[in-house]
Amino acid sequence: MLAVVVSRADRASEHIGERLLDLGDWTECEDRSVPDAEGGGTYYRTEGAELRTFDDLHIYAQGLADPFDDPDLLLVASRHSGGTGPLLTAHPTGNAGPAEFGGESGAFARAAPNAHAALVQAFDDHAPEGYGVGMECSHHGPTDIDVPSLFVELGSDEAQWDDPAGATAVARAILDCRDVSAERDRQLVGFGGGHYAPRFERIVRETDWAVGHVLADWSLDDMPHPREATDTLRRAFERSGTSHTVIDGDRPVLREVIADLGYRVVSETWTRETTGVPLATVESLEPQLSTVDEGLRFGDVAAGYEGSAVVRSLPAELTAEAANVDTDATRAAVAGRALAFETEEGGTRPAGQVALATADAFDALVRDLAGVLESKYDEVAVEESGVVAVRETFDPEAATELGVGEGPAFGRLAAGESVEVDGQTIEPSAVHERRETRFPVERR
């Protein structure tokens, strides 16, 4: 069930609540076991959702989840204040440093990473013209919510708080979350960056990773030294339901402390490259080859693959020559056969080791690499010991010796056509040299 919180102390919250009731087929209910000021009295239910109203400003409220009947996700309708212009945004709540605006210091409500990603998409779907869409770092209270939760906000000043189109968009986005899981298998904590978390929004939009709590630069500055804030850091991971993090910026001490706590620091590139690849496969192949940050890339075969791998060395000379001929085609050839492969030059050129689903895939990979050479060489043959590539090159000195000087006949002969000089036919083979190059392949 989706729990929706409306605060009478927030005009935007009330406005969104009104739009919610206009949109849904709600049943008016009464709860006399809880004071009206604390979510009791009149409340509303519709399929998959329940809406309750509280007197206190939500950021200072306590026990917001208590009146609801075992909710799976709690969304708080709220205003957003700032100089950002018309904006639809959402964030989990928590304080890395002192609790100046509700909640406890060094504490966090339980985040809802998958629902947050769903809200970003819903905002995109429903945002009125002129409104931006964003996500924010974790800030303010409450911090005692043990249900996955988010503030869902309409901003950024009075004009938008009173805007029916904006309030309706937020209401529609909230209702879209009725069938959305609060969490997913792939979620992480974010550290660093700005309040509006552009790096983490990119991750949410462009990978299959969701983001829980984000402690922006200003939040980390408010926090004690990382070595003195291990409990706070641990809570950020626990309340995000993850052991992974991306850190925006260097922050070497923070990285070291997080690693000492047993959590894994990964990069934005890592989230991109592991998208679609089972984590069990990632965790199996990185130790056998290299890490993503060292250049490991996953191939097409890795999508959804969970099983054993055969690790081989890419045929170095063949792979290098294929990359010289066509880098993109070479990478595509390797990616098309591999579970994972090592690279150089920023992930563009395959080089080093490759992991394959079967031993037979290696022979297919060699054939594909040989195919790349065909655009440069006249003949390419795959043999047991390697690949043989042949180029026939024009010998201008031989042409001159046979009486073919510069001119049209010289050009035709160089292009592989026979020509006639002084009544004698000169075949292309007489002035072309056959050069053979062998690229060894070690087979097992």
Side-chain angles (χ1 to χ4, degrees):
M1 186 193 72
L2 170 64
V4 182
V5 170
V6 170
S7 168
R8 296 186 181 96
D10 177 347
R11 63 198 271 187
S13 181
E14 286 196 300
H15 192 185
I16 295 165
E18 292 166 3
R19 296 298 163 177
L20 280 164
L21 295 178
D22 289 341
L23 290 171
D25 183 16
W26 299 85
T27 300
E28 184 175 309
C29 306
E30 289 292 323
D31 181 359
R32 297 304 177 189
S33 66
V34 179
D36 180 77
E38 299 173 9
T42 301
Y43 71 100
Y44 300 89
R45 298 201 68 154
T46 190
E47 183 177 357
E50 182 173 302
L51 184 154
R52 290 178 180 260
T53 306
F54 298 73
D55 277 357
D56 286 346
L57 185 61
H58 33 50
I59 66 174
Y60 297 109
Q62 294 183 330
L64 286 179
D66 295 347
F68 295 93
D69 184 16
D70 193 25
D72 301 298
L73 172 65
L74 185 145
L75 300 181
V76 181
S78 174
R79 67 174 180 251
H80 170 70
S81 300
T84 53
L87 181 69
L88 308 183
T89 183
H91 65 88
T93 55
N95 302 301
E100 297 181 4
F101 300 100
E104 300 293 330
S105 300
F108 306 90
R110 186 173 167 189
N114 188 62
H116 200 169
L119 279 169
V120 170
Q121 180 60 58
F123 286 157
D124 284 344
D125 294 340
H126 302 303
E129 184 176 355
Y131 275 78
V133 172
M135 53 185 287
E136 295 177 79
C137 69
S138 304
H139 59 293
H140 67 63
T143 56
D144 66 341
I145 305 175
D146 294 327
V147 174
S149 60
L150 294 162
F151 268 51
V152 189
E153 301 185 349
L154 172 62
S156 299
D157 58 30
E158 294 181 358
Q160 286 79 50
W161 302 341
D162 296 333
D163 178 21
T168 299
V170 175
R172 291 188 184 280
I174 288 173
L175 290 175
D176 283 354
C177 290
R178 281 180 290 183
D179 297 322
V180 171
S181 297
E183 300 179 312
R184 65 173 71 164
D185 291 338
R186 295 163 177 257
Q187 47 199 42
L188 55 86
V189 179
F191 291 97
H195 181 92
Y196 293 94
R199 180 182 298 275
F200 302 106
E201 184 175 341
R202 281 199 307 271
I203 290 172
V204 165
R205 289 183 176 279
E206 299 173 11
T207 79
D208 62 6
W209 285 83
V211 178
H213 284 288
V214 176
L215 279 63
D217 285 336
W218 69 262
S219 181
L220 292 173
D221 291 343
D222 284 348
M223 187 182 74
H225 188 279
R227 297 194 190 283
E228 300 171 357
T230 54
D231 288 344
T232 298
L233 296 172
R234 188 179 290 109
R235 288 188 201 104
F237 281 93
E238 292 173 350
R239 298 294 253 176
S240 298
T242 184
S243 60
H244 291 81
T245 182
V246 169
I247 298 177
D248 190 349
D250 292 334
R251 297 191 176 272
V253 175
L254 179 64
R255 291 173 182 271
E256 182 180 329
V257 170
I258 287 173
D260 290 345
L261 289 172
Y263 302 113
R264 181 171 183 188
V265 180
V266 298
S267 64
E268 181 181 351
T269 297
W270 189 89
T271 66
R272 293 180 183 280
E273 296 301 328
T274 59
T275 290
V277 183
L279 286 182
T281 300
V282 175
E283 292 166 358
S284 169
L285 293 179
E286 279 193 306
Q288 295 185 67
L289 299 166
S290 55
T291 67
V292 168
D293 290 338
E294 291 169 335
L296 185 69
R297 296 295 181 263
F298 293 94
D300 302 339
V301 184
Y305 182 86
E306 293 186 83
S308 59
V310 177
V311 177
R312 300 287 302 273
S313 293
L314 285 166
E317 294 178 32
L318 173 62
T319 305
E321 177 63 1
N324 290 337
V325 172
D326 190 329
T327 303
D328 292 340
T330 300
R331 195 185 191 286
V334 176
R337 299 290 183 181
L339 291 169
F341 54 99
E342 295 178 328
T343 67
E344 57 189 13
E345 296 187 17
T348 60
R349 291 174 64 102
Q353 297 190 100
V354 60
L356 305 161
T358 66
D360 292 343
F362 183 77
D363 293 335
L365 173 56
V366 169
R367 291 193 297 271
D368 291 346
L369 290 172
V372 177
L373 302 185
E374 292 176 355
S375 65
K376 175 180 178 180
Y377 292 87
D378 298 298
E379 298 175 23
V380 179
V382 179
E383 300 179 351
E384 182 63 26
S385 60
V387 173
V388 179
V390 175
R391 292 187 71 186
E392 294 196 359
T393 58
F394 177 63
D395 186 348
E397 293 183 1
T400 301
E401 290 175 0
L402 292 173
V404 184
E406 291 187 9
F410 191 89
R412 293 198 303 274
L413 191 60
E417 299 178 25
S418 59
V419 297
E420 189 171 310
V421 177
D422 297 331
Q424 180 182 1
T425 299
I426 301 175
E427 300 293 340
S429 59
V431 294
H432 280 76
E433 180 182 0
R434 183 180 173 88
R435 295 183 179 178
E436 181 179 285
T437 305
R438 290 185 169 270
F439 302 97
V441 174
E442 182 180 342
R443 303 181 190 270
R444 297 179 185 175

